[in-house]
């Protein structure tokens, strides 16, 4: 669980490795909450939702009732 | 992607700086919104299914697949389109390796249609593109789809479930014709547009 | 337990919440599925609650006989591929069949390898096919001159025996198998119409590939192998199906297919099968 | 640790060695059903090929990959060697034998029934036996995962199980539940019939049992990708996991909601009532929930990383992310495909709406987007992350890996999007040849050709994958790089028992399964629906295969 080591990833050389995040950066990043993530995820879900409604009412329903 | 080359050794986040409560609250809000989105979709589905009586084809009815041709509903003389006393039509179709029989069914437009299909051998699929008519045909069961067509035209009717090595050759047609063109003959004799 | 709150804040909440949610899901979905949706029927009356539940479970089906007049029953054969029939065929005794077959060789040739181009080779034919055709002759479902009379004098057991005998004779039709080595040119791209029909069919006319049932590389219960069969015989049978002279195919499958074929196509397909398989009696086999 | 590493490596190699030929088959299948000329255009070969492609991708690649990943995660996340290594090797050998048996049966032409079996079509008992050994053998792995987790818990009382280990154990438990359907189908119905012990098959029951497997298996495939999202990605991006608790909850929800929903694969089947279909449609909505939660958690974790790397403003963290890292790039591409594939899934599960696309190319497109796209691209990323760790040899090279990921993404998009459209137009799936002289079919011709191009790109990408892995394997050993997992913003010190084990969730799933599948399976004891079987390789002896 310790992070007091260099971050390793699939890279061959240390300079290709992403820097690990420290406490201060994490605090700074989270100061206002993950607003950007909320925006991105909300847009994605909204597109999904609107697309689903469009398919339901513009494609599925006009193809006729079955049962 | 220039890195900050300092890379100091870092310590874990001190407790309580970004309280877990706050993270949990954010996640809870997101969870609630997602449940709301899914709830609306479910609501749309349930209300429209109730008002339009939309269902997946689900008529659980068993039948002996080996003796279909010896008599009863799916004897060859009874396949094709029949007119019911109430004016609706029933189309009986056999799906077998590797043909639909009849391979062309005729139905009138704007009329309640009931497709009844079964298979004497393996699983087949019955699909009319550009409509919602779509059902599996499982041997041992009678598949039923009820619908009505609002457009006159010829609909291709491919088998849409793998049924063996001749699967790709299993195509038929449904012709939706105007009520005037639909032969009255069907009241007493089964009709189809297959070559007689 | 400072970090135990999770998604909802209750003391030791997980089992309580989880079971509560499950109960909610079960109740809501049951009420919606059986109490609401199942009541509404496409092209049908709205059901009461009890009938809706039965309908939703699939206990009651739309099985009521249709009220429309039913045309006179027409059946192609008496044979159905029930386990009784298949047991009877499997019980055929080839040795006993050999004695019965002595009556057949005058026309169908020594060992069932026919020398006449209009009489089918029986050697190697699937016993289910021979058994069914003999029964169809017996019942008058297939009409063909002398075979009707012969069919009347052989019993079901005789049919099974003689079918078992011919099935194991060599130099005739190759055994039907559901597999073959892949080869190019067996799709709808193939320009040769015979090869195309045999291996790919013609979906637009509802013609499946012949080979899917009659081989090579196909099998269907009740369908004979055609490789090595006499081309003239095949062509004549196709014509008979097309004209409705022969009507003993279950679900009029061959009648329907043959009606779609032009005379040229019948000839080409027959020649294709006749030319392959290398039956020793290649007399009269047309080369494609 | 050496032994654990070797175990993982062998599993990965089997998975990827099977993967490449299966992609070759897939690309050829796209060609033969297109209007373009194709070599070996024989419908029989197509159906055998589809069977092999599906069997390889759905059972072999995924099972071996998940098992290898499981061993690697166990060893690295618990920080101690895998317990039960001998059993793991036995499991490996059993699964390998099963694979070879199944592949041999398909190549011999005795098993063209597709990987979904489709009884009453009947394949050779070698095929079913092979499938049984592969799937049944992997149950040893399931037991090993559970054993490793519980024994670690015993040795570390009160400690939270590391999220990665918790998640891989969830995967194992999910797989056990999922596989129960197909194993019962194989043992109870297909193997006895193919061995001649029974004479008939209940096609409806067999399909119902398989549906228990059919949806949950997709989540079994998906889980390694999600584990990478939660435990490897934030680390690779240089950030923190936003919430450890949400990660646990997500994997728990996958267990609960991915099994009692399989009947949405049977919406068009006549053997079940509409009420039961609605129940499972309803439950299926909830399986979208863990994915929707994941999307947010992952975005939040990436935002932390991006901001720490200097990203400013509302969305400035996105370009600041280390997109050169294969894991980060793969996640980005994966989430796009997951979105599109998930959208298709929401259509498929929509009760009556399923009729619009059931068994058309839409369905093929949907699961290729989800599995072939979103999941497999994460398998690649995991391989790139793991190879240097396991072998001690650096990845050769990262730039090639990025090319490979981009090509895979592009290929899958170009292949799958036209499929979605042709599916809506009514193109049936799993058809060996289309008659493009038919005007109805001809309209789809250009779209089919576009998807063939996508298939070719996928093939190039798959070859590149193997090149990268082989080159890396042949390199010199010079790395000491243990696998590290992402740290949560607030690393858990204690977690409630419910989020540290699976007893409660297994009990809940059992209840849900009885609710969702009790009647649908039970009804077959009353219904008279047994039918004769049809052997695809022809009669084993005379008289109709009896």
């Amino acid at each position: 669980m310790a992070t007091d080591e260099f971050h390793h990833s699939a890279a061959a050389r240390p300079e290709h490795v992403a820097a690990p995040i420290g406490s201060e950066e994490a605090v700074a990043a989270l100061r206002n909450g993950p607003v950007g993530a909320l925006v991105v995820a909300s847009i994605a879900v909204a597109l999904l939702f609107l697309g689903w409604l469009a398919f339901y009412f513009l494609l599925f329903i006009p193809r006729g009732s079955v049962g | 992607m220039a890195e900050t080359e300092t890379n100091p050794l870092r310590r874990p986040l001190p407790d309580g700086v970004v309280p877990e409560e706050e993270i949990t609250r954010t996640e809870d809000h997101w969870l609630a919104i997602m449940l709301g989105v899914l709830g609306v979709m479910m609501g749309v589905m349930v209300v429209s299914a109730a008002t339009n009586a939309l269902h997946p084809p689900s008529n659980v009815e068993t039948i002996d697949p080996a003796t279909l041709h010896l008599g009863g509903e799916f004897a060859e003389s009874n396949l094709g389109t029949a007119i019911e006393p109430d004016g609706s039509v029933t189309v009986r179709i056999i799906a077998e390796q590797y043909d639909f029989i009849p391979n062309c069914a005729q139905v009138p437009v704007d009329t309640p249609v009931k497709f009844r299909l079964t298979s004497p051998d393996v699983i087949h699929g019955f699909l009319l593109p550009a409509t919602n008519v779509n059902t599996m045909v499982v041997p041992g069961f009678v598949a039923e789809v009820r619908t009505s067509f609002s457009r006159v035209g010829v609909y291709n009717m491919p088998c849409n479930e793998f049924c063996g090595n001749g699967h790709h050759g299993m195509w038929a047609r449904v012709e939706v014709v105007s009520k005037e063109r639909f032969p009255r003959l069907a009241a007493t004799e089964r009709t189809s547009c297959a070559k007689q | 337990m400072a970090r135990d709150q999770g998604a909802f804040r209750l003391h030791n909440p997980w089992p309580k919440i989880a079971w509560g949610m499950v109960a909610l899901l079960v109740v809501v979905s049951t009420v919606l599925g059986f109490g609401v949706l199942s009541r509404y029927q496409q092209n049908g009356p709205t059901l009461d609650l009890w009938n809706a539940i039965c309908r939703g479970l699939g206990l009651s089906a739309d099985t009521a006989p249709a009220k429309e007049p039913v045309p006179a029953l027409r059946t192609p054969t008496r044979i159905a591929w029930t386990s009784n029939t298949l047991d009877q065929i499997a019980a055929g005794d080839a040795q006993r069949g050999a004695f019965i077959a002595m009556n057949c060789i005058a026309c169908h040739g020594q060992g069932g390898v026919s020398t006449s181009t209009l009489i089918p080779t029986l050697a190697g034919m699937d016993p289910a096919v021979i058994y069914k055709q003999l029964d169809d002759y017996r019942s008058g479902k297939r009409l063909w001159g002398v075979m009707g009379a012969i069919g009347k004098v052989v019993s079901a057991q005789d049919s099974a025996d003689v079918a078992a005998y011919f099935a194991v004779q060599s130099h005739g039709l190759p055994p039907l198998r559901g597999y073959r080595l892949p080869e190019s040119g067996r799709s709808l791209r193939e320009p040769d119409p015979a090869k195309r029909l045999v291996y790919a069919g013609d979906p637009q006319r509802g013609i499946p590939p012949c080979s899917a049932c009659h081989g090579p590389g196909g099998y269907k219960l009740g369908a004979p192998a055609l490789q090595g069969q006499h081309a003239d015989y095949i062509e004549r049978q196709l014509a008979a199906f097309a004209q409705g002279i022969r009507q003993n195919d279950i679900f009029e499958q061959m009648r329907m297919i043959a009606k779609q074929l032009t005379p040229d196509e019948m000839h080409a397909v027959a020649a294709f099968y006749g030319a392959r398989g290398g039956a020793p009696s290649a007399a009269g086999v047309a080369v494609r | 640790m050496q032994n654990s590493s070797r175990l993982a490596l062998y599993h990965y190699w089997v998975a990827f060695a099977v993967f490449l030929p299966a992609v070759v088959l897939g690309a050829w299948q796209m060609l033969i059903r297109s209007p373009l000329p194709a070599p070996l255009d024989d419908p029989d070969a197509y159906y055998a090929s589809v069977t092999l492609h599906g069997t390889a991708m759905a059972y072999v690649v995924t099972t071996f990959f998940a098992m290898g990943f499981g061993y690697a995660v166990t060893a690295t996340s618990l920080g101690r060697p895998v317990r039960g290594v001998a059993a793991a090797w036995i499991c490996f050998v059993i699964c390998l034998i099963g694979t070879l048996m199944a592949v041999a049966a398909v190549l011999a032409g005795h098993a063209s029934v597709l990987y979904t079996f489709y009884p009453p079509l009947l394949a050779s008992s070698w095929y079913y036996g092979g499938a049984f050994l592969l799937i049944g053998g992997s149950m040893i792995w399931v037991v090993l995962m559970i054993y490793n987790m519980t024994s670690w818990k015993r040795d570390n009382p009160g400690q939270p199980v590391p999220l990665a280990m918790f998640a891989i154990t969830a995967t194992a438990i999910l797989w056990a539940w999922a596989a129960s359907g197909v194993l019962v189908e194989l043992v109870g119905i297909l193997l006895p019939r193919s061995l001649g012990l029974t004479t008939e098959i209940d096609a409806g029951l067999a399909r119902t049992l398989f549906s228990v497997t059919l949806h949950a298996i997709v989540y079994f495939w998906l889980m390694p990708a999600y584990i990478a999202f939660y435990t490897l990605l934030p680390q690779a991006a240089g950030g923190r996991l936003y919430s450890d608790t949400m990660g646990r909850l997500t994997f728990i929800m996958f267990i609960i909601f991915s099994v009692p929903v399989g009947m949405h694969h049977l919406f068009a089947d006549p053997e079940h009532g509409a009420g039961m279909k609605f129940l499972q449609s309803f439950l299926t909505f909830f399986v979208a929930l863990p994915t929707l939660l994941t999307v947010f958690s992952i975005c939040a974790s990436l935002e932390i990383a991006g901001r720490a790397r200097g990203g400013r403003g509302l969305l400035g963290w996105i370009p600041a992310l280390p997109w050169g890292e294969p894991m980060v790039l793969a996640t980005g591409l994966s989430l796009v495909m997951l979105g599109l594939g998930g959208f298709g899934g929401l259509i498929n599960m929509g009760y009556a709406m399923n009729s619009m696309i059931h068994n058309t190319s839409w369905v093929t497109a949907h699961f290729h987007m989800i599995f072939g796209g979103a999941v497999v691209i994460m398998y690649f990323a995991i391989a790139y992350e793991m190879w240097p760790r396991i072998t001690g040899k650096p990845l050769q090279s990262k730039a090639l890996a990025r090319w490979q990921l981009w090509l895979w993404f592009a290929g899958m998009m170009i292949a799958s999007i036209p499929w979605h459209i042709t599916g809506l137009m009514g193109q049936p799936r799993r058809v060996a040849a289309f008659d493009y002289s038919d005007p109805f079919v001809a309209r789809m011709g250009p779209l089919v050709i576009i998807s063939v191009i996508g298939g070719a790109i996928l093939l190039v990408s798959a070859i590149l994958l193997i090149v990268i892995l082989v080159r890396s394997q042949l390199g010199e050993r010079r790395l000491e790089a243990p696998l590290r997992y992402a740290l949560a913003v607030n690393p858990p010190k204690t977690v409630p028992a419910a989020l540290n084990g699976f007893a409660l969730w297994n009990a809940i799933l059992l209840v849900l399964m009885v609710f969702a599948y009790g009647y649908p399976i039970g009804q077959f004891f009353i219904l008279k629906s047994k039918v004769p079987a049809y052997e695809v390789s022809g009669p084993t002896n005379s008289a109709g295969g009896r």
Side-chain angles (χ1 to χ4, degrees):
Chain A
M1 285 293 162
T3 47
D4 51 356
E5 283 172 42
F6 277 104
H7 165 73
H8 295 284
S9 89
R13 294 196 298 277
E15 56 267 33
H16 285 168
V17 174
I21 188 171
S23 316
E24 298 83 40
E25 284 89 344
V27 174
L30 290 166
R31 188 155 292 136
N32 300 316
V35 185
L38 275 174
V39 169
V40 171
S42 300
I43 291 172
V45 174
L47 287 176
L48 212 64
F49 178 60
L50 294 176
W52 189 87
L53 287 179
F55 264 64
Y56 200 94
F57 289 109
L58 302 179
L59 272 175
F60 167 57
I61 296 289
R63 287 186 176 208
S65 297
V66 290
Chain B
M1 297 296 153
E3 302 294 337
T4 51
E5 289 298 331
T6 43
N7 266 348
L9 299 182
R10 312 286 187 176
R11 276 170 290 107
L13 211 57
D15 265 0
V17 171
V18 183
E20 182 71 9
E21 285 76 10
E22 197 180 306
I23 289 180
T24 306
R25 196 179 317 126
T26 314
E27 293 274 12
D28 281 359
H29 288 163
W30 179 256
L31 180 67
I33 297 169
M34 289 307 104
L35 277 172
V37 168
L38 290 176
V40 172
M41 287 163 66
M42 213 172 319
V44 165
M45 205 178 80
V46 170
V47 171
S48 69
T51 52
N52 295 1
L54 301 171
H55 297 288
S58 314
N59 191 58
V60 185
E61 181 182 347
T62 55
I63 195 165
D64 178 8
T67 55
L68 294 169
H69 60 287
L70 296 185
E73 194 181 345
F74 290 95
E76 68 174 56
S77 47
N78 205 34
L79 298 176
T81 311
I83 296 188
E84 302 286 340
D86 65 1
S88 70
V89 300
T90 302
V91 186
R92 293 185 183 81
I93 297 175
I94 285 282
E96 68 167 337
Q97 285 178 330
Y98 298 98
D99 258 319
F100 290 101
I101 295 135
N103 69 357
C104 181
Q106 211 168 28
V107 296
V109 74
D110 291 327
T111 306
V113 180
K114 186 192 286 180
F115 288 100
R116 284 173 66 78
L117 299 96
T118 193
S119 160
D121 41 47
V122 301
I123 295 171
H124 302 276
F126 169 66
L127 160 74
L128 299 182
T131 74
N132 286 322
V133 176
N134 195 336
T135 184
M136 307 293 295
V137 185
V138 179
F141 292 90
V142 179
E144 187 177 295
V145 187
R146 285 180 264 178
T147 189
S148 64
F149 294 91
S150 55
R151 275 191 305 118
V152 168
V154 177
Y155 295 80
N156 281 55
M157 183 172 131
C159 173
N160 70 357
E161 189 57 282
F162 175 67
C163 56
N165 283 350
H167 172 48
H168 51 283
M170 192 166 166
W171 287 63
R173 286 191 314 282
V174 167
E175 277 182 13
V176 180
V177 299
S178 65
K179 287 184 174 178
E180 299 74 50
R181 273 194 56 210
F182 186 71
R184 290 284 106 195
L185 197 61
T188 51
E189 211 174 288
R190 302 297 173 255
T191 62
S192 81
C193 36
K195 205 168 161 185
Q196 293 300 320
Chain C
M1 300 287 278
R3 313 221 171 278
D4 286 1
Q5 293 87 351
F8 306 90
R9 255 160 259 132
L10 283 172
H11 179 64
N12 189 22
W14 292 99
K16 220 184 299 178
I17 292 175
W19 287 111
M21 300 279 273
V22 168
L24 191 69
L25 289 187
V26 167
V27 170
V28 172
S29 60
T30 307
V31 168
L32 287 178
F34 292 97
V36 180
L37 288 186
S38 289
R39 297 182 60 209
Y40 303 101
Q41 300 299 308
Q42 191 68 227
N43 302 341
T46 302
L47 307 175
D48 60 27
L49 184 62
W50 173 248
N51 282 316
I53 292 172
C54 292
R55 182 91 181 129
L57 280 172
L59 280 172
S60 58
D62 181 30
T63 50
K67 296 176 200 72
E68 84 281 6
V70 176
L73 179 66
R74 188 177 76 234
T75 57
T77 179
R78 299 188 305 198
I79 294 292
W81 303 120
T82 60
S83 49
N84 282 345
T85 310
L86 296 176
D87 286 343
Q88 165 109 64
I89 297 168
D93 178 351
Q95 279 190 323
R96 202 174 157 263
F99 288 104
I100 303 165
M102 297 220 231
N103 303 302
C104 312
I105 56 175
C107 300
H108 285 283
Q110 196 68 42
V113 181
S114 159
T115 50
S116 160
T117 60
L118 286 175
I119 295 174
T121 287
L122 299 180
M125 193 178 273
D126 191 283
V129 178
I130 301 178
Y131 182 86
K132 174 179 178 291
Q133 299 305 323
L134 281 172
D135 189 83
D136 289 349
Y137 283 125
R138 185 155 52 242
S139 60
K141 296 289 184 185
R142 183 176 178 185
L143 303 170
W144 203 268
V146 66
M147 282 309 295
I150 293 171
K152 296 251 177 345
V153 298
V154 290
S155 68
Q157 185 59 47
D158 294 341
S159 307
D161 293 342
V162 80
Y165 168 76
F166 282 122
V168 296
Q169 299 309 303
S170 47
H171 307 301
L173 313 173
L176 271 181
R177 282 200 211 91
Y179 53 94
R180 61 183 182 228
L181 280 180
E183 203 178 274
S184 289
R186 286 176 171 171
S187 69
L188 292 160
R189 300 174 182 87
E190 172 62 32
D192 174 7
K195 196 175 174 191
R196 192 172 65 232
L197 276 171
V198 167
Y199 288 112
D202 187 349
Q204 278 194 71
R205 285 185 287 167
I207 302 172
C210 316
S211 64
C213 300
H214 297 285
Y219 169 77
K220 181 173 176 172
L221 185 54
L226 291 183
Q227 262 184 298
Q229 189 55 278
H230 293 294
D232 290 356
Y233 172 75
I234 298 174
E235 189 176 347
R236 181 179 279 201
Q237 295 309 311
L238 282 172
F241 279 127
Q243 293 154 17
I245 296 168
R246 185 175 166 186
Q247 311 198 350
N248 69 328
D249 50 331
I250 295 177
F251 295 124
E252 51 188 324
Q253 185 166 30
M254 281 315 299
R255 275 169 281 171
M256 214 174 65
I257 292 168
K259 273 172 196 156
Q260 301 284 343
L261 293 171
T262 65
D264 284 347
E265 284 171 333
M266 290 183 200
H267 183 77
V269 167
F272 180 88
Y273 270 118
R276 294 168 71 97
S281 56
V285 167
V287 179
R288 64 190 167 93
Chain D
M1 285 304 219
Q2 272 305 317
N3 211 344
S4 308
S5 296
R6 191 175 313 125
L7 202 51
L9 191 65
Y10 272 63
H11 282 82
Y12 287 152
W13 266 122
V14 172
F16 289 119
V18 172
F19 179 73
L20 180 61
V23 174
V24 173
L25 292 179
W28 173 78
Q29 284 158 217
M30 298 178 83
L31 197 56
I32 182 178
R33 65 205 289 287
S34 77
L36 304 171
L40 226 57
D41 50 341
D42 188 328
D44 276 26
Y46 173 83
Y47 295 119
S49 173
V50 175
T51 308
L52 207 51
H53 177 79
T55 306
M57 293 299 198
Y59 297 137
V60 184
V61 171
T62 46
T63 308
F64 274 94
F65 186 87
M67 292 195 298
F69 187 56
Y71 296 129
V73 165
T74 305
T76 51
S77 73
L78 298 183
R80 63 188 204 181
V82 174
R83 301 209 170 160
V85 172
W89 282 113
I90 293 172
C91 167
F92 176 77
V93 172
I94 292 176
C95 293
L96 200 57
I97 292 172
T99 302
L100 295 176
M101 275 169 66
V103 168
V106 180
L107 286 180
H110 295 292
S112 294
V113 294
L114 311 196
Y115 84 97
T116 34
F117 299 162
Y118 292 132
L121 286 176
L122 195 70
S124 137
S125 55
W126 284 85
Y127 179 67
Y128 299 130
F132 175 74
L133 284 184
L134 173 60
I135 300 167
S138 69
M139 292 301 116
I140 298 176
W141 170 78
V142 170
V143 172
L144 281 176
M145 289 299 106
I146 297 171
Y147 168 65
N148 272 280
M149 189 184 101
T150 49
S151 70
W152 186 89
K153 273 172 78 176
R154 209 167 32 246
D155 299 344
N156 300 272
Q159 294 286 311
V161 177
L163 179 59
M165 188 64 209
F166 183 82
I168 197 72
T169 312
T171 310
I173 289 171
L174 171 62
W175 179 226
W177 278 98
S180 65
V182 67
L183 288 176
V184 172
E185 184 193 10
L186 283 168
V187 174
I189 300 177
L190 296 177
L191 271 170
R193 177 60 190 84
S194 66
L195 292 169
L197 303 175
T198 54
T199 53
E200 291 186 311
I201 275 183
D202 196 326
L205 175 60
R207 287 177 69 74
T208 309
L209 287 171
F210 196 79
S211 82
V212 172
T213 298
L214 199 47
H215 195 67
I217 195 174
V218 180
Y219 285 91
F220 167 62
W221 304 337
L222 207 64
M223 292 283 249
Y226 274 65
I227 296 174
F229 289 161
Y230 275 97
T231 68
L232 298 176
L233 164 73
Q235 177 79 345
R240 294 272 180 110
L241 173 62
Y242 184 59
S243 169
D244 183 271
T245 311
M246 264 311 144
R248 287 168 198 268
L249 211 54
T250 298
F251 289 105
I252 286 168
M253 279 199 238
F254 275 133
I255 293 188
I256 295 178
F257 289 120
S258 61
V259 198
V261 299
M263 205 189 278
H264 68 249
H265 292 247
L266 303 184
F267 277 163
D269 272 38
E271 73 266 13
H272 294 294
M276 293 312 301
K277 288 177 181 173
F278 177 79
L279 291 193
Q280 295 213 12
S281 176
F282 186 86
L283 291 177
T284 310
F285 269 95
F286 290 92
V287 86
L289 207 52
T291 295
L292 293 170
L293 290 180
T294 300
V295 168
F296 171 66
S297 293
I298 295 316
C299 284
S301 305
L302 287 176
E303 184 176 356
I304 296 172
R307 292 200 184 284
R309 295 170 59 86
R312 294 285 169 265
L314 193 60
L315 298 176
W317 51 276
I318 297 176
L321 287 169
W323 291 109
E325 282 290 319
M327 181 61 78
V328 180
L329 177 62
T331 301
L333 302 176
S334 173
L335 287 178
V336 172
M337 293 190 280
L338 192 64
L340 288 169
F343 172 71
L346 290 172
I347 307 281
N348 303 346
M349 74 189 190
Y351 193 57
M353 183 153 50
N354 173 70
S355 292
M356 179 169 73
I357 40 75
H358 176 79
N359 261 353
T360 64
S361 297
W362 171 280
V363 177
T364 319
H366 160 68
F367 69 74
H368 275 83
M369 199 68 106
I370 287 272
F371 172 55
V375 172
V376 166
I377 207 167
M378 290 311 290
Y379 286 10
F380 301 153
I382 291 171
Y384 294 148
E385 196 79 8
M386 290 264 179
W387 234 261
R389 269 46 177 269
I390 294 174
T391 61
K393 298 163 183 173
L395 194 66
Q396 306 276 1
S397 67
K398 222 169 177 180
L400 265 187
R402 282 196 293 271
W403 269 99
Q404 192 268 329
L405 295 172
W406 272 111
L407 281 175
W408 190 263
F409 172 74
M412 196 50 83
M413 297 294 268
I414 295 170
S416 296
I417 290 175
W419 271 348
H420 277 103
I421 303 169
T422 56
L424 284 173
M425 291 161 80
Q427 184 188 48
R429 65 175 176 152
R430 292 165 162 175
V431 171
F434 286 106
D435 183 1
Y436 288 95
S437 64
D438 182 340
F440 167 72
V441 182
R443 285 188 298 144
M444 303 168 186
L447 288 164
V448 176
I449 291 174
I450 293 172
S451 65
V452 172
I453 297 169
I457 298 173
L458 288 171
L459 181 56
V460 171
S461 177
I463 293 170
L464 202 51
L465 167 80
I466 301 299
V467 168
I468 294 168
L469 294 184
V470 170
R471 282 185 56 190
S472 304
Q473 185 96 53
L474 296 179
E476 62 177 294
R477 180 184 297 271
R478 57 188 169 86
L479 279 183
E480 260 320 313
L483 190 65
R484 296 247 170 256
Y485 293 96
L487 198 63
V489 169
N490 292 308
K493 294 198 173 61
T494 59
V495 294
L499 297 185
N500 210 32
F502 297 98
L504 170 65
W505 313 111
N506 276 317
I508 284 177
L509 177 53
L510 185 64
V511 169
L512 276 178
M513 282 301 282
V514 170
F515 169 64
Y517 269 109
Y519 182 80
I521 290 177
Q523 67 171 359
F524 289 101
F525 292 98
I526 307 162
L527 288 174
K528 290 186 174 55
S529 52
K530 287 197 173 168
V531 296
Y534 282 73
E535 297 181 36
V536 290
S537 52
T540 45
N541 50 46
S542 50
R546 290 161 62 87

